[in-house]
Amino acid sequence: EGPYWLHPPRRMERIDDTSADAFADTFADTLYSGNTRGYNSGTKLGKSGAYDMPPASASILTKTHCGSRCTFCPPGRYLETPASFLQQCLTGSRKVTKRNPKPDTAEYEKRYHTYHPSLVSRAVHLLRDPFDNLVSRFHHEQKEHAKKGENRWSSRYSNDVFGFRRWCADEDVKYGAAERDADWAAYGYPADLPRRFEGVSCHGELFRYVQWHGLAAEAADALDVPVLHVYYENYSSDLKGET
């Protein structure tokens, strides 16, 4: 559900693009170095054009989902280390005009960019009840598959309690072998974790929720930035106090 990085705008000048692979190679050396050369904030260019930067005293709220957020996926796709998770937090995409578009057309392409850690000055960590979050992710899957016209998926996983339970049960069964084969200890978890999953519906989703929020807290600690914790439920019970 977050965190949302707050970037000091004076440090977000347009600089050369750097790929995620290059970032991975230099991550350990640059995490605290303050070297921003080669990293692109991606804030000045986009589908809607260029914008003036806000005053240096302000910050730009930038949403990031970080890593470990796939749905219906095996452990190999969601197990993260603190470093790999933070790299995903600092990586995002934007739509830009294609370099060589067709004549008389406006074509755009998606490009991925990685921010330098030193650009983050503060963070907002949004939390939501894990069971509400689980249902919300199911609804999101419903919308995504409907947009793609995947009627077979929607037919199997109807948008009701029965479809939801089947969705959970199918993932539990589908990735059982992958969970037993995964090296959980390498990521700091008990080696017998798959045994503890037994009988827990949607345990992959619940594990990803717990891992995500734990790693989000570790990411903020590694960046040594102040964090504002916002609780989703307060938007309905205490909107004025929360905002």
Side-chain angles (χ1 to χ4, degrees):
E1 297 294 343
Y4 296 75
W5 303 129
L6 293 170
H7 303 285
R10 67 182 183 279
R11 302 175 64 185
M12 299 182 69
E13 65 274 10
R14 176 85 170 109
I15 47 185
D16 295 335
D17 294 349
T18 296
S19 69
D21 290 339
F23 176 87
D25 294 336
T26 59
F27 180 84
D29 294 332
T30 60
L31 182 55
Y32 301 107
S33 69
N35 170 28
T36 59
R37 184 176 61 82
Y39 292 87
N40 185 347
S41 70
T43 55
K44 284 191 175 182
L45 299 178
K47 187 174 181 179
S48 300
Y51 296 89
D52 293 333
M53 301 302 282
S57 60
S59 293
I60 299 174
L61 190 64
T62 306
K63 183 179 181 180
T64 174
H65 291 290
C66 301
S68 184
R69 62 184 183 89
C70 60
T71 55
F72 220 91
C73 52
R77 286 187 56 197
Y78 60 76
L79 282 173
E80 299 270 9
T81 65
S84 67
F85 183 83
L86 179 54
Q87 180 182 339
Q88 291 297 315
C89 293
L90 297 166
T91 301
S93 65
R94 60 191 174 99
K95 287 186 177 180
V96 297
T97 305
K98 284 188 176 180
R99 291 187 173 90
N100 298 302
K102 296 178 181 179
D104 301 321
T105 61
E107 295 186 18
Y108 302 93
E109 62 185 4
K110 181 182 289 188
R111 294 183 192 169
Y112 289 88
H113 300 271
T114 301
Y115 297 80
H116 191 275
S118 64
L119 290 172
V120 183
S121 64
R122 289 176 285 170
V124 179
H125 187 159
L126 178 61
L127 301 101
R128 187 176 187 180
D129 179 279
F131 298 106
D132 289 343
N133 189 74
L134 178 54
V135 174
S136 176
R137 281 167 62 83
F138 174 66
H139 288 162
H140 178 73
E141 287 297 290
Q142 286 279 340
K143 294 175 183 177
E144 289 300 305
H145 287 280
K147 283 194 299 185
K148 297 175 183 177
E150 297 176 350
N151 297 327
R152 185 177 178 182
W153 190 98
S154 301
S155 176
R156 179 165 181 79
Y157 305 116
S158 52
N159 194 20
D160 54 29
V161 64
F162 302 105
F164 174 74
R165 288 175 177 172
R166 175 174 284 182
W167 180 68
C168 286
D170 281 0
E171 181 179 8
D172 293 343
V173 172
K174 183 177 178 66
Y175 298 113
E179 291 168 353
R180 290 189 292 272
D181 293 340
D183 188 359
W184 298 93
Y187 294 86
Y189 301 107
D192 67 341
L193 195 56
R195 180 183 61 78
R196 306 185 189 192
F197 286 157
E198 293 177 4
V200 180
S201 180
C202 249
H203 56 258
E205 279 288 325
L206 294 171
F207 174 86
R208 288 189 286 273
Y209 176 94
V210 173
Q211 178 184 236
W212 193 97
H213 285 285
L215 289 175
E218 288 191 44
D221 287 343
L223 294 170
D224 194 25
V225 296
V227 181
L228 172 65
H229 292 94
V230 177
Y231 296 91
Y232 187 93
E233 291 73 21
N234 288 353
Y235 285 114
S236 59
S237 63
D238 185 23
L239 179 61
K240 183 177 180 180
E242 196 67 18
T243 56

